[in-house]
């Protein structure tokens, strides 16, 4: 079967990557979607059981830092486009283990860029799309928004490693004329997020009557975007974005952590049929995260004005959908928290 495009999506077994794979596989049967993922603790092929047998989907268990293995995948599928999401993504882990973030996020990205450059030679019809984060811009005060022109000012090993990878992608555009686009997105939420991140962790803790560890005073602000809206923005930028450009993606949905948690607690009381105020009792203020960025907020007007994208899901609707999804997917949550998901897929793919 010949495909119109052979698109390599890295990190497709993770949270955002699995939503993007689902969207691309279903919407574009004329494209072959190759999911390249090392299946680290954050990769879970259970996120993709509904598309795993589609004729335009294929999976390769490969580590992006391994040049030979990445090269072999380019050759096997004649890859013409890359959408790169594979990364170590959790700030707290980057504080305890920064080297892993340098290896995957920096070196892994440069390996991919280098393999693409050498394999493609001629750049006509090619694209390297790098998925990044708003955290590269650092932190905001009470007012203002991150624009595409905001100077980089990363504060955590995670954001520093993502900033570094963004710089390399731009360097390949300027030095070698490689066609690239970059998007920097705010905090995502929704189904299939690993329960070390705020929302799935707190939903699971509330369900099991466990403490909700709020860092510092909880007065940190994040701009929350429904994960399928991020995937739809990537689709738009992949098809309509201008090479060399950066696009900010955001939800226009700012919440302080503590207000977000209060809202979540109310929703969870309703969903679990508990008396109002029950879940709130679980809130526990704990020691702050070192280097904790005060506020992130995105100006996504370039994406709206130039490419016509806007978020579709707002709060509280999106938060209610999220709470319901985790409560209804008990097996998924239990497989992840027990580690069973890893044992099964590691055995299958390492054999
Ligand atoms: P995630 O941690 O859920 O998934 C990361 C995926 O990458 C996993 O499937 C993992 O197995 C894979 N991976 C890790 N190291 C690898 C390696 N060496 N080789 C191959 N695969 C590897 O992450 P996510 O939240 O889905 O984020 C995806 C991307 O989006 C990241 O680049 C992240 O920086 C960016 N981003 C995330 C958010 C967010 O709110 N989660 C916001 C903006 C941008
Ligand atoms: P997180 O989901 O880790 O995303 P990021 O750090 O990339 O924004 O955290 C979101 C916010 O919630 C952040 O300000 C840290 C805070 N937080 C807590 O207060 N307690 C927690 O247990 C976690 C995981 C996060």
């Amino acid at each position: 079967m010949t495909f119109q495009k052979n698109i390599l999506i890295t990190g497709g077994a993770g949270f955002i990557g699995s939503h993007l794979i689902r969207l691309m596989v279903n919407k574009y049967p004329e494209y072959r979607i190759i999911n390249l993922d090392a299946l680290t603790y954050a990769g879970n092929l259970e996120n993709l059981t509904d598309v795993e047998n589609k004729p335009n989907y294929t999976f390769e268990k490969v580590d992006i830092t391994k040049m030979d293995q990445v090269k072999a995948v380019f050759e096997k599928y004649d890859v013409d486009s890359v959408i790169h999401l594979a990364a170590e993504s959790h700030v707290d882990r980057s504080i305890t283990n920064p080297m892993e973030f340098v290896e995957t996020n920096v070196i892994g990205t440069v390996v991919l860029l280098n393999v693409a450059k050498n394999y493609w030679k001629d750049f006509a019809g090619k694209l390297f799309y790098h998925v990044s984060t708003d955290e590269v811009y650092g932190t905001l005060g009470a007012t203002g928004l991150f624009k595409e022109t905001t100077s980089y000012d990363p504060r955590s090993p995670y954001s520093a490693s993502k900033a570094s990878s963004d710089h390399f992608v731009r360097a390949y555009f300027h030095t070698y004329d490689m066609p690239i686009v970059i998007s920097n997105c705010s905090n995502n939420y929704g189904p299939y997020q690993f329960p070390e991140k705020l929302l799935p962790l707190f939903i699971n803790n509330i369900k099991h009557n466990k403490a909700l560890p709020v860092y510092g005073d909880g007065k940190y602000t994040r701009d929350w975007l429904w994960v399928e809206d991020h995937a739809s923005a990537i689709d738009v930028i992949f098809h309509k974005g201008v090479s060399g450009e950066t696009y900010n993606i955001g939800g226009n949905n700012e919440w302080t952590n503590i207000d977000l948690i209060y809202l979540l607690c109310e929703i969870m009381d309703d969903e679990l049929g508990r008396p109002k105020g029950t879940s709130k009792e679980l809130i526990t203020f704990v020691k702050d995260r070192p280097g904790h960025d005060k506020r992130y907020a995105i100006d996504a007007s370039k994406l709206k004005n130039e490419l016509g994208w806007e978020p579709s899901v707002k709060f509280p609707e999106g938060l209610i959908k999220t709470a319901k999804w985790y409560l209804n997917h008990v097996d998924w949550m239990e497989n992840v928290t027990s580690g069973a998901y890893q044992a099964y897929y590691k055995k299958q793919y390492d054999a």
Side-chain angles (χ1 to χ4, degrees):
M1 193 165 169
T2 345
F3 291 95
Q4 217 182 80
K5 281 182 187 293
N6 294 309
I7 307 175
L8 183 73
I9 298 186
T10 70
F15 167 48
I16 301 167
S18 62
H19 287 278
L20 180 67
I21 296 250
R22 181 170 299 102
L23 183 158
M24 298 294 278
V25 165
N26 289 327
K27 188 170 172 186
Y28 302 107
E30 66 275 29
Y31 296 168
R32 173 156 58 188
I33 304 299
I34 307 126
N35 176 10
L36 183 155
D37 198 296
L39 299 183
T40 68
Y41 81 93
N44 182 357
L45 289 175
E46 257 187 71
N47 299 355
L48 288 166
T49 45
D50 55 330
V51 295
E52 68 187 5
N53 293 320
K54 298 261 175 168
N56 63 334
Y57 171 78
T58 183
F59 172 72
E60 292 285 342
K61 183 176 184 296
V62 165
D63 182 333
I64 54 166
T65 64
K66 305 277 186 281
M67 181 96 68
D68 289 350
Q69 293 176 26
V70 174
K71 190 166 163 263
V73 172
F74 269 71
E75 285 163 358
K76 182 171 172 188
Y77 299 103
D78 191 21
V79 169
D80 49 52
S81 318
V82 174
I83 310 181
H84 174 39
L85 295 94
E88 287 294 332
S89 68
H90 190 42
V91 174
D92 294 329
R93 284 181 192 253
S94 83
I95 294 166
T96 44
N97 204 348
M99 283 310 296
E100 265 185 23
F101 283 68
V102 175
E103 275 156 27
T104 296
N105 299 0
V106 185
I107 296 174
T109 301
V110 181
V111 166
L112 277 169
L113 285 164
N114 220 46
V115 170
K117 175 173 84 65
N118 293 339
Y119 182 73
W120 287 341
K121 294 182 183 81
D122 169 8
F123 288 139
K126 312 294 195 302
L127 182 66
F128 192 103
Y129 182 156
H130 180 58
V131 174
S132 192
T133 168
D134 62 352
E135 304 191 25
V136 298
Y137 298 123
T139 185
L140 290 163
T143 58
L145 299 171
F146 294 135
K147 296 182 186 304
E148 288 80 358
T149 49
T150 302
S151 300
Y152 275 31
D153 187 19
R155 311 296 184 98
S156 72
Y158 165 64
S159 53
S161 68
K162 290 297 289 187
S164 172
S165 64
D166 294 10
H167 291 320
F168 271 103
V169 176
R170 287 196 186 94
Y172 272 63
F173 171 73
H174 291 292
T175 307
Y176 307 110
D177 293 326
M178 182 186 276
I180 66 105
V181 281
I182 299 179
S183 56
N184 295 84
C185 188
S186 60
N187 286 63
N188 287 213
Y189 73 98
Y192 300 115
Q193 188 169 30
F194 196 83
E196 63 186 350
K197 303 276 170 66
L198 183 75
L199 285 171
L201 176 73
F202 278 31
I203 290 167
N204 200 37
N205 281 10
I206 291 171
K207 183 181 166 196
H208 293 104
N209 282 308
K210 283 164 67 179
L212 307 177
V214 178
Y215 297 162
D217 59 7
K219 302 230 172 90
Y220 294 88
T221 301
R222 299 289 184 264
D223 172 5
W224 292 92
L225 178 70
W226 175 245
V227 61
E228 289 178 340
D229 278 336
H230 189 185
S232 80
I234 294 173
D235 175 21
V236 169
I237 295 166
F238 176 78
H239 286 98
K240 299 207 269 175
V242 175
S243 176
E245 292 292 315
T246 296
Y247 299 90
N248 279 354
I249 309 172
N252 201 12
N253 182 32
E254 280 185 57
W255 287 80
T256 61
N257 291 342
I258 195 67
D259 286 344
L260 173 71
I261 293 159
Y262 285 146
L263 178 60
L264 178 69
C265 286
E266 281 175 29
I267 291 170
M268 291 295 286
D269 286 344
D270 278 356
E271 291 298 324
L272 295 167
R274 294 177 181 170
K276 280 193 191 324
T278 311
S279 303
K280 228 168 117 176
E281 296 297 314
L282 297 168
I283 291 175
T284 315
F285 291 92
V286 299
K287 192 167 168 289
D288 211 349
R289 171 189 279 173
H292 199 167
D293 289 332
K294 192 74 191 166
R295 177 171 165 259
Y296 303 144
I298 281 276
D299 176 351
S301 57
K302 175 175 172 181
L303 187 53
K304 182 179 172 194
N305 297 336
E306 295 183 12
L307 305 187
W309 177 91
E310 278 188 279
S312 69
V313 176
K314 291 268 175 219
F315 273 10
E317 180 202 346
L319 196 53
I320 295 169
K321 273 165 66 159
T322 303
K324 281 187 194 293
W325 189 88
Y326 287 99
L327 292 175
N328 289 335
H329 289 77
V330 178
D331 288 352
W332 183 91
M333 185 58 94
E334 278 177 5
N335 280 346
V336 172
T337 46
S338 69
Y341 73 110
Q342 279 200 313
Y344 175 72
Y345 287 103
K346 280 214 153 55
K347 207 166 126 210
Q348 188 178 349
Y349 286 99
D350 290 345

